[in-house]
mmCIF file of all heavy atoms in Angstrom:
data_model
loop_
_atom_site.group_PDB
_atom_site.id
_atom_site.type_symbol
_atom_site.label_atom_id
_atom_site.label_comp_id
_atom_site.label_asym_id
_atom_site.label_seq_id
_atom_site.Cartn_x
_atom_site.Cartn_y
_atom_site.Cartn_z
ATOM 1 N N ALA A 27 29.445 4.242 -6.919
ATOM 2 C CA ALA A 27 29.292 5.674 -7.212
ATOM 3 C C ALA A 27 27.861 6.031 -7.571
ATOM 4 O O ALA A 27 27.428 7.175 -7.373
ATOM 5 C CB ALA A 27 30.232 6.077 -8.344
ATOM 6 N N ASN A 29 25.129 4.121 -6.487
ATOM 7 C CA ASN A 29 24.164 3.449 -5.614
ATOM 8 C C ASN A 29 24.273 3.968 -4.188
ATOM 9 O O ASN A 29 25.132 3.527 -3.408
ATOM 10 C CB ASN A 29 24.377 1.932 -5.649
ATOM 11 C CG ASN A 29 23.130 1.194 -5.227
ATOM 12 O OD1 ASN A 29 22.420 1.630 -4.319
ATOM 13 N ND2 ASN A 29 22.853 0.085 -5.870
ATOM 14 N N CYS A 61 24.668 -10.858 -17.484
ATOM 15 C CA CYS A 61 25.901 -11.264 -16.821
ATOM 16 C C CYS A 61 26.024 -12.772 -16.948
ATOM 17 O O CYS A 61 25.162 -13.513 -16.464
ATOM 18 C CB CYS A 61 25.892 -10.839 -15.355
ATOM 19 S SG CYS A 61 27.388 -11.326 -14.461
ATOM 20 N N GLU A 75 21.405 -8.518 1.856
ATOM 21 C CA GLU A 75 21.085 -8.372 3.274
ATOM 22 C C GLU A 75 22.099 -7.526 4.045
ATOM 23 O O GLU A 75 21.737 -6.904 5.049
ATOM 24 C CB GLU A 75 20.948 -9.750 3.930
ATOM 25 C CG GLU A 75 19.771 -10.546 3.382
ATOM 26 C CD GLU A 75 19.512 -11.830 4.155
ATOM 27 O OE1 GLU A 75 20.307 -12.145 5.073
ATOM 28 O OE2 GLU A 75 18.524 -12.517 3.861
ATOM 29 N N LYS A 82 17.537 2.999 3.997
ATOM 30 C CA LYS A 82 17.545 3.839 2.798
ATOM 31 C C LYS A 82 16.697 3.202 1.700
ATOM 32 O O LYS A 82 15.961 3.892 0.991
ATOM 33 C CB LYS A 82 18.967 4.052 2.296
ATOM 34 C CG LYS A 82 19.795 5.006 3.135
ATOM 35 C CD LYS A 82 21.136 5.273 2.470
ATOM 36 C CE LYS A 82 21.958 6.279 3.263
ATOM 37 N NZ LYS A 82 23.253 6.558 2.603
ATOM 38 N N MET A 88 8.507 5.124 -0.246
ATOM 39 C CA MET A 88 7.575 6.157 0.190
ATOM 40 C C MET A 88 7.459 7.307 -0.812
ATOM 41 O O MET A 88 6.656 8.220 -0.613
ATOM 42 C CB MET A 88 8.018 6.711 1.550
ATOM 43 C CG MET A 88 8.183 5.650 2.631
ATOM 44 S SD MET A 88 6.675 4.688 2.902
ATOM 45 C CE MET A 88 5.636 5.949 3.646
ATOM 46 N N LYS A 92 6.752 6.815 -7.028
ATOM 47 C CA LYS A 92 6.775 5.349 -7.038
ATOM 48 C C LYS A 92 5.383 4.791 -6.745
ATOM 49 O O LYS A 92 4.938 3.837 -7.391
ATOM 50 C CB LYS A 92 7.791 4.832 -6.017
ATOM 51 C CG LYS A 92 7.897 3.309 -5.985
ATOM 52 C CD LYS A 92 9.038 2.853 -5.107
ATOM 53 C CE LYS A 92 9.104 1.336 -5.005
ATOM 54 N NZ LYS A 92 9.331 0.690 -6.305
ATOM 55 N N LEU A 94 2.539 6.243 -7.354
ATOM 56 C CA LEU A 94 1.702 6.488 -8.534
ATOM 57 C C LEU A 94 1.929 5.400 -9.582
ATOM 58 O O LEU A 94 0.981 4.963 -10.246
ATOM 59 C CB LEU A 94 2.013 7.862 -9.127
ATOM 60 C CG LEU A 94 1.413 9.072 -8.411
ATOM 61 C CD1 LEU A 94 1.957 10.372 -9.004
ATOM 62 C CD2 LEU A 94 -0.113 9.052 -8.492
ATOM 63 N N GLN A 96 2.735 2.307 -8.950
ATOM 64 C CA GLN A 96 2.055 1.106 -8.461
ATOM 65 C C GLN A 96 0.546 1.202 -8.690
ATOM 66 O O GLN A 96 -0.111 0.212 -9.057
ATOM 67 C CB GLN A 96 2.332 0.911 -6.964
ATOM 68 C CG GLN A 96 3.805 0.822 -6.582
ATOM 69 C CD GLN A 96 4.426 -0.516 -6.950
ATOM 70 O OE1 GLN A 96 4.049 -1.140 -7.938
ATOM 71 N NE2 GLN A 96 5.389 -0.949 -6.162
ATOM 72 N N LEU A 109 -11.943 -6.185 -19.304
ATOM 73 C CA LEU A 109 -12.035 -6.581 -20.710
ATOM 74 C C LEU A 109 -12.160 -8.092 -20.871
ATOM 75 O O LEU A 109 -12.687 -8.569 -21.872
ATOM 76 C CB LEU A 109 -10.801 -6.086 -21.468
ATOM 77 C CG LEU A 109 -10.696 -4.569 -21.661
ATOM 78 C CD1 LEU A 109 -9.343 -4.200 -22.246
ATOM 79 C CD2 LEU A 109 -11.814 -4.061 -22.570
ATOM 80 N N MET A 110 -11.697 -8.835 -19.877
ATOM 81 C CA MET A 110 -11.795 -10.297 -19.923
ATOM 82 C C MET A 110 -13.086 -10.799 -19.289
ATOM 83 O O MET A 110 -13.262 -11.996 -19.111
ATOM 84 C CB MET A 110 -10.573 -10.915 -19.246
ATOM 85 C CG MET A 110 -9.259 -10.609 -19.973
ATOM 86 S SD MET A 110 -7.780 -11.121 -19.066
ATOM 87 C CE MET A 110 -7.802 -12.876 -19.346
ATOM 88 N N LYS A 112 -14.569 -9.767 -16.189
ATOM 89 C CA LYS A 112 -14.737 -9.699 -14.737
ATOM 90 C C LYS A 112 -15.465 -8.415 -14.379
ATOM 91 O O LYS A 112 -14.981 -7.308 -14.646
ATOM 92 C CB LYS A 112 -13.367 -9.722 -14.050
ATOM 93 C CG LYS A 112 -13.422 -10.090 -12.586
ATOM 94 C CD LYS A 112 -13.642 -11.574 -12.394
ATOM 95 C CE LYS A 112 -13.576 -11.962 -10.931
ATOM 96 N NZ LYS A 112 -13.838 -13.396 -10.712
ATOM 97 N N GLU A 114 -16.826 -7.538 -11.178
ATOM 98 C CA GLU A 114 -16.637 -6.996 -9.836
ATOM 99 C C GLU A 114 -15.497 -7.711 -9.136
ATOM 100 O O GLU A 114 -15.103 -8.817 -9.534
ATOM 101 C CB GLU A 114 -17.921 -7.114 -9.019
ATOM 102 C CG GLU A 114 -18.411 -8.533 -8.833
ATOM 103 C CD GLU A 114 -19.698 -8.596 -8.039
ATOM 104 O OE1 GLU A 114 -20.465 -7.610 -8.032
ATOM 105 O OE2 GLU A 114 -19.951 -9.648 -7.411
ATOM 106 N N LYS A 119 -7.656 -13.590 -6.393
ATOM 107 C CA LYS A 119 -6.436 -13.951 -5.669
ATOM 108 C C LYS A 119 -5.221 -13.434 -6.431
ATOM 109 O O LYS A 119 -5.115 -13.621 -7.652
ATOM 110 C CB LYS A 119 -6.330 -15.460 -5.501
ATOM 111 C CG LYS A 119 -7.221 -16.038 -4.425
ATOM 112 C CD LYS A 119 -6.940 -17.540 -4.272
ATOM 113 C CE LYS A 119 -7.116 -17.972 -2.837
ATOM 114 N NZ LYS A 119 -6.692 -19.366 -2.644
ATOM 115 N N GLY A 126 9.437 -7.264 -2.167
ATOM 116 C CA GLY A 126 10.226 -6.238 -1.503
ATOM 117 C C GLY A 126 9.571 -5.783 -0.208
ATOM 118 O O GLY A 126 9.185 -6.589 0.633
ATOM 119 N N ASP A 145 9.165 -12.633 -0.767
ATOM 120 C CA ASP A 145 10.490 -12.138 -1.135
ATOM 121 C C ASP A 145 11.529 -13.059 -0.518
ATOM 122 O O ASP A 145 11.432 -13.428 0.657
ATOM 123 C CB ASP A 145 10.695 -10.701 -0.644
ATOM 124 C CG ASP A 145 11.816 -9.997 -1.398
ATOM 125 O OD1 ASP A 145 12.995 -10.275 -1.099
ATOM 126 O OD2 ASP A 145 11.511 -9.181 -2.277
ATOM 127 N N GLY A 156 -1.210 -3.245 8.223
ATOM 128 C CA GLY A 156 -2.367 -3.230 9.098
ATOM 129 C C GLY A 156 -2.292 -4.393 10.070
ATOM 130 O O GLY A 156 -1.254 -4.689 10.641
ATOM 131 N N MET A 179 5.344 -9.842 -11.068
ATOM 132 C CA MET A 179 6.793 -9.976 -10.929
ATOM 133 C C MET A 179 7.385 -8.611 -11.303
ATOM 134 O O MET A 179 7.834 -8.383 -12.415
ATOM 135 C CB MET A 179 7.337 -11.081 -11.818
ATOM 136 C CG MET A 179 6.785 -12.457 -11.490
ATOM 137 S SD MET A 179 7.500 -13.794 -12.492
ATOM 138 C CE MET A 179 9.037 -14.075 -11.626
ATOM 139 N N GLN A 187 18.978 -15.462 -11.910
ATOM 140 C CA GLN A 187 19.969 -16.186 -12.714
ATOM 141 C C GLN A 187 19.329 -17.371 -13.440
ATOM 142 O O GLN A 187 19.873 -17.846 -14.430
ATOM 143 C CB GLN A 187 21.116 -16.659 -11.815
ATOM 144 C CG GLN A 187 21.865 -15.487 -11.179
ATOM 145 C CD GLN A 187 23.092 -15.902 -10.405
ATOM 146 O OE1 GLN A 187 24.201 -15.563 -10.775
ATOM 147 N NE2 GLN A 187 22.898 -16.641 -9.325
ATOM 148 N N LEU A 200 -0.709 -19.915 -11.537
ATOM 149 C CA LEU A 200 -1.797 -19.166 -12.164
ATOM 150 C C LEU A 200 -2.972 -20.062 -12.553
ATOM 151 O O LEU A 200 -2.783 -21.209 -12.972
ATOM 152 C CB LEU A 200 -1.300 -18.457 -13.425
ATOM 153 C CG LEU A 200 -0.541 -17.147 -13.255
ATOM 154 C CD1 LEU A 200 0.046 -16.716 -14.601
ATOM 155 C CD2 LEU A 200 -1.433 -16.049 -12.701
ATOM 156 N N ILE A 206 -0.113 -12.692 -15.807
ATOM 157 C CA ILE A 206 1.199 -12.437 -15.217
ATOM 158 C C ILE A 206 1.622 -11.027 -15.613
ATOM 159 O O ILE A 206 1.426 -10.604 -16.756
ATOM 160 C CB ILE A 206 2.248 -13.476 -15.665
ATOM 161 C CG1 ILE A 206 3.566 -13.238 -14.918
ATOM 162 C CG2 ILE A 206 2.458 -13.477 -17.168
ATOM 163 C CD1 ILE A 206 4.598 -14.342 -15.093
ATOM 164 N N LYS A 219 24.806 1.808 -25.558
ATOM 165 C CA LYS A 219 26.040 2.317 -26.164
ATOM 166 C C LYS A 219 26.621 3.482 -25.371
ATOM 167 O O LYS A 219 27.839 3.606 -25.224
ATOM 168 C CB LYS A 219 25.773 2.731 -27.616
ATOM 169 C CG LYS A 219 25.537 1.555 -28.550
ATOM 170 C CD LYS A 219 25.186 2.019 -29.956
ATOM 171 C CE LYS A 219 24.913 0.826 -30.860
ATOM 172 N NZ LYS A 219 24.490 1.254 -32.226
ATOM 173 N N LEU A 229 34.145 6.061 -16.232
ATOM 174 C CA LEU A 229 33.068 6.882 -15.688
ATOM 175 C C LEU A 229 31.946 5.962 -15.227
ATOM 176 O O LEU A 229 31.720 4.904 -15.843
ATOM 177 C CB LEU A 229 32.541 7.854 -16.742
ATOM 178 C CG LEU A 229 33.528 8.917 -17.241
ATOM 179 C CD1 LEU A 229 32.939 9.651 -18.445
ATOM 180 C CD2 LEU A 229 33.864 9.898 -16.121
ATOM 181 N N SER A 233 23.056 4.889 -14.548
ATOM 182 C CA SER A 233 22.028 4.449 -13.607
ATOM 183 C C SER A 233 22.580 3.374 -12.688
ATOM 184 O O SER A 233 23.414 2.555 -13.092
ATOM 185 C CB SER A 233 20.820 3.902 -14.360
ATOM 186 O OG SER A 233 19.963 3.190 -13.500
ATOM 187 N N VAL A 242 21.204 -9.059 -13.286
ATOM 188 C CA VAL A 242 21.998 -9.940 -14.147
ATOM 189 C C VAL A 242 21.421 -10.070 -15.551
ATOM 190 O O VAL A 242 22.059 -10.637 -16.431
ATOM 191 C CB VAL A 242 22.146 -11.340 -13.505
ATOM 192 C CG1 VAL A 242 22.920 -11.247 -12.200
ATOM 193 C CG2 VAL A 242 20.787 -11.999 -13.278
ATOM 194 N N LEU A 280 -10.275 -7.586 -26.502
ATOM 195 C CA LEU A 280 -8.873 -7.181 -26.497
ATOM 196 C C LEU A 280 -8.327 -6.899 -27.893
ATOM 197 O O LEU A 280 -7.134 -6.665 -28.050
ATOM 198 C CB LEU A 280 -8.040 -8.300 -25.850
ATOM 199 C CG LEU A 280 -8.353 -8.569 -24.376
ATOM 200 C CD1 LEU A 280 -7.702 -9.893 -23.940
ATOM 201 C CD2 LEU A 280 -7.860 -7.440 -23.508
ATOM 202 N N LEU A 296 11.966 3.576 -32.076
ATOM 203 C CA LEU A 296 12.204 4.992 -32.320
ATOM 204 C C LEU A 296 12.560 5.759 -31.055
ATOM 205 O O LEU A 296 13.196 6.807 -31.109
ATOM 206 C CB LEU A 296 10.956 5.621 -32.947
ATOM 207 C CG LEU A 296 10.469 4.979 -34.261
ATOM 208 C CD1 LEU A 296 9.183 5.650 -34.715
ATOM 209 C CD2 LEU A 296 11.536 5.061 -35.338
ATOM 210 N N ALA A 306 4.834 -5.659 -19.091
ATOM 211 C CA ALA A 306 4.168 -6.567 -20.021
ATOM 212 C C ALA A 306 3.152 -7.406 -19.274
ATOM 213 O O ALA A 306 3.435 -7.961 -18.215
ATOM 214 C CB ALA A 306 5.192 -7.464 -20.702
ATOM 215 N N THR A 309 -0.892 -13.725 -20.439
ATOM 216 C CA THR A 309 -1.908 -14.606 -19.871
ATOM 217 C C THR A 309 -1.486 -16.053 -20.027
ATOM 218 O O THR A 309 -0.824 -16.432 -21.002
ATOM 219 C CB THR A 309 -3.282 -14.382 -20.528
ATOM 220 O OG1 THR A 309 -4.274 -15.158 -19.840
ATOM 221 C CG2 THR A 309 -3.292 -14.792 -21.978
#
Side-chain angles (χ1 to χ4, degrees):
N29 202 322
C61 179
E75 295 188 356
K82 286 186 177 181
M88 305 303 291
K92 181 172 177 62
L94 282 173
Q96 303 285 32
L109 291 172
M110 296 172 76
K112 198 76 175 178
E114 60 181 25
K119 283 185 147 187
D145 200 283
M179 298 183 81
Q187 297 186 115
L200 280 171
I206 185 170
K219 289 176 182 177
L229 296 170
S233 166
V242 296
L280 296 167
L296 303 177
T309 186

